[in-house]
Amino acid sequence: MASGVQERLLSSGAEEEGDLKKRVYVESKKVWRVAFPSMISRVSSFGTIVVTQSFIGHISSVDLAGYALVQTLLVRFVNGILIGMSSATETLCGQAYGAKQYHMMGVFLQRSWLVDLASMTILLPLFLFGAPIFRLLGQEEDISVSAGYISLWFIPFNYAIVFALTIQMYLQAQQKNRIIAYLSVLQFVVHLPLSYIFVYLLEWGVGGAMLALNVSQWFTIIGEFIYIFGGWCPDSWKGFSMAAFQDIFPVVKLSVASGLMVCLELWYYAILVLVAGYMKNAEVAISAFSICLNINGWEFMICLGILGAACVRVANELGRGDANAVRFSIKVILGTSILIGVVIWALCLIFGNQIGYLFTQEEAVAKAVADLAVLLAFSVLFNSIYPVFSGVAVGAGMQATVAIINVVCFYIIGLPIGLVLGYVTNLQVKWTFYGCKNTFFSAQHALQQDLFLTGDDLAGAVDWNALRCYHGDNRSVLHDVEDELG
């Protein structure tokens, strides 16, 4: 059957040209139906982390550096693992939904809860012993003490992330991700006044900022529980079941390829922040680098929504056997993403000297951020391109290829360049950030060459064993998302 689909792809040339503007409009509408809810959800959720950093940054530069270490080192490390583990939920629920085995989706969700909660509990000592860990890694004493205190506050936050990730995958498989977008926006709206009340009115300091982060995060989770348990998922949620305790190991095994792809990127940024802690004036270096990475990451959340749309559109059109539609969809998605990137790129260049003051009152930190503004702007621009090709690769079942590219570009090219330039030159954190951006350029170029710009046919690159359409007893990963969206 795979060869039959491949033949249709290789021979598909009967795509109707039609009016170009109309085709772009129709394709854009399909893309945004998938991308917008995911984009709003990711931007709002990540925004609470950035807002918390801003409030802490206005308390003290030491606490800002401590928060930066925990958030970009420990939290990213753990989230990389949890995101990988939760990817099993997306695959299993997607298969069950495509095969119309709706009752199994609730069982798969419960299995993912068990696996992810167990994984988070195993990783708990990283947060319980945050201060000794950072001392062991050679960080300054006052920063290590602050990071140890803040890491304790991240424990309930990370347990909430377990439910947030798995529930998002579960609802997205049913095209019910709008509720997540609504709740995420409400979370952000609640988080702002809570942070102000706890930090300034009640004068609870760093603890108040972290309490606001936890309250707003669990507010969203409770809303998602109400949505699922309250009867808005009648076909897929049949209550708790003992079947969730069966066949747990395959759930863990299933997430390895996608998890590796995500972890390699998230852990890379964690290493860069750790490296910044060994540079001259570590407090300023860590804070400035973390601020730039969080601004970069906030924009990246938008791009991840585009990435999800690329996955869905490519997978759908490959399932239909229409290679020309795949190529046209990629062009529209890439153009959309680049347009967003150019707008944010311009904003970073225009307001580069003022960005740092949103996060701190320390003149040295704000100046360091201003020095990185140009690199930050071009980082945003690269961000708008790379996720599209990653999404295309995932949609074509090529996660292993992306994982290999990430290993080479992030750890063999980007990290050594950043380390050499950061320590050999006197520019320190600026050139470490340059190495980071060189990584994105290398990965982006490698994916372009591997996928489409070499002129090779896409069908030849597809992992056909990973893209079996629903036929007979096979369960499909490639159900028609657009038809379900209406």
Side-chain angles (χ1 to χ4, degrees):
M1 181 183 65
S3 61
V5 177
Q6 187 171 4
E7 287 176 4
R8 293 202 309 273
L9 277 168
L10 291 170
S11 61
S12 63
E15 179 187 1
E16 295 181 3
E17 292 299 326
D19 180 66
L20 181 59
K21 291 183 179 179
K22 183 177 179 181
R23 290 175 60 209
V24 170
Y25 172 77
V26 171
E27 182 62 34
S28 297
K29 188 176 179 181
K30 293 178 180 179
V31 168
W32 282 105
R33 279 181 176 177
V34 178
F36 190 70
S38 176
M39 189 183 298
I40 292 297
S41 171
R42 292 179 185 276
V43 169
S44 299
S45 297
F46 192 78
T48 60
I49 295 176
V50 177
V51 167
T52 301
Q53 182 185 38
S54 179
F55 273 93
I56 290 178
H58 285 86
I59 295 172
S60 81
S61 58
V62 172
D63 290 322
L64 176 60
Y67 180 87
L69 275 179
V70 177
Q71 192 258 318
T72 42
L73 192 63
L74 295 186
V75 176
R76 280 181 184 267
F77 177 81
V78 171
N79 279 357
I81 296 174
L82 294 179
I83 290 172
M85 302 296 286
S86 65
S87 66
T89 314
E90 185 174 29
T91 301
L92 292 170
C93 287
Q95 290 180 351
Y97 189 79
K100 301 187 185 303
Q101 300 292 318
Y102 303 124
H103 66 285
M104 286 302 298
M105 297 180 70
V107 175
F108 290 144
L109 177 62
Q110 294 170 55
R111 286 178 185 170
S112 295
W113 283 345
L114 293 173
V115 171
D116 285 19
L117 287 172
S119 301
M120 180 58 221
T121 303
I122 292 172
L123 296 168
L124 198 58
L126 292 176
F127 296 90
L128 292 174
F129 304 103
I133 289 174
F134 287 117
R135 288 193 191 99
L136 186 63
L137 292 174
Q139 300 299 312
E140 296 179 1
E141 176 64 21
D142 52 350
I143 295 177
S144 297
V145 171
S146 175
Y149 174 71
I150 291 172
S151 65
L152 296 175
W153 281 101
F154 268 110
I155 292 175
F157 176 83
N158 278 286
Y159 274 107
I161 290 296
V162 168
F163 294 105
L165 290 172
T166 50
I167 291 174
Q168 180 174 358
M169 303 302 183
Y170 165 78
L171 293 176
Q172 187 167 288
Q174 307 171 67
Q175 285 74 58
K176 293 183 177 181
N177 53 342
R178 288 184 180 179
I179 183 62
I180 298 177
Y182 297 148
L183 288 173
S184 297
V185 171
L186 191 57
Q187 172 192 357
F188 187 77
V189 172
V190 168
H191 182 67
L192 283 170
L194 270 184
S195 297
Y196 181 81
I197 291 171
F198 291 166
V199 173
Y200 291 114
L201 297 185
L202 299 179
E203 298 182 351
W204 289 351
V206 173
M210 296 303 300
L211 178 61
L213 179 65
N214 282 290
V215 170
S216 61
Q217 183 63 48
W218 276 100
F219 174 84
T220 304
I221 303 305
I222 292 172
E224 291 173 349
F225 283 154
I226 293 173
Y227 184 81
I228 295 173
F229 302 154
W232 281 274
C233 300
D235 296 327
S236 58
W237 182 261
K238 302 296 183 182
F240 291 97
S241 171
M242 292 300 295
F245 292 91
Q246 303 172 4
D247 300 321
I248 289 183
F249 180 72
V251 175
V252 179
K253 186 177 179 181
L254 185 61
S255 65
V256 171
S258 294
L260 182 62
M261 185 180 72
V262 174
C263 289
L264 288 172
E265 184 174 338
L266 292 179
W267 292 349
Y268 171 74
Y269 290 117
I271 293 172
L272 289 180
V273 173
L274 180 63
V275 168
Y278 297 118
M279 294 181 176
K280 296 177 182 178
N281 201 353
E283 181 183 312
V284 172
I286 293 173
S287 299
F289 201 74
S290 175
I291 287 172
C292 288
L293 286 182
N294 274 342
I295 294 172
N296 193 55
W298 208 348
E299 186 268 345
F300 193 62
M301 295 301 105
I302 298 176
C303 296
L304 286 179
I306 300 293
L307 184 151
C311 292
V312 171
R313 292 296 301 128
V314 169
N316 277 198
E317 297 302 343
L318 286 175
R320 291 192 181 100
D322 193 344
N324 288 333
V326 171
R327 294 188 184 94
F328 183 74
S329 180
I330 293 168
K331 292 175 183 177
V332 173
I333 294 171
L334 186 60
T336 301
S337 187
I338 290 176
L339 181 60
I340 295 172
V342 167
V343 172
I344 303 178
W345 168 80
L347 291 175
C348 289
L349 289 179
I350 295 170
F351 300 104
N353 292 330
Q354 289 80 39
I355 291 176
Y357 293 103
L358 294 175
F359 298 88
T360 181
Q361 294 174 335
E362 296 290 332
E363 188 71 26
V365 176
K367 187 176 183 300
V369 174
D371 288 340
L372 292 170
V374 174
L375 287 175
L376 175 63
F378 282 96
S379 163
V380 166
L381 198 57
F382 288 149
N383 269 0
S384 66
I385 301 173
Y386 175 70
V388 175
F389 290 107
S390 293
V392 170
V394 172
M398 298 167 61
Q399 289 96 326
T401 301
V402 180
I404 293 171
I405 289 174
N406 281 352
V407 169
V408 174
C409 295
F410 281 89
Y411 294 93
I412 298 179
I413 298 177
L415 188 59
I417 289 177
L419 291 176
V420 171
L421 293 177
Y423 284 104
V424 173
T425 69
N426 292 323
L427 296 175
Q428 297 285 309
V429 71
K430 178 180 287 188
W431 283 103
T432 304
F433 197 65
Y434 172 82
C436 164
K437 292 309 105 192
N438 186 71
T439 293
F440 263 104
F441 179 79
S442 302
Q444 168 199 320
H445 183 69
L447 276 174
Q448 288 173 346
Q449 294 297 322
D450 190 65
L451 291 172
F452 309 109
L453 298 186
T454 59
D456 293 337
D457 203 292
L458 175 62
V462 175
D463 180 3
W464 296 104
N465 290 326
L467 296 176
R468 295 189 182 94
C469 296
Y470 180 69
H471 183 74
D473 293 332
N474 292 331
R475 292 179 179 177
S476 171
V477 181
L478 300 178
H479 53 279
D480 191 345
V481 174
E482 291 85 9
D483 289 348
E484 296 297 335
L485 286 169

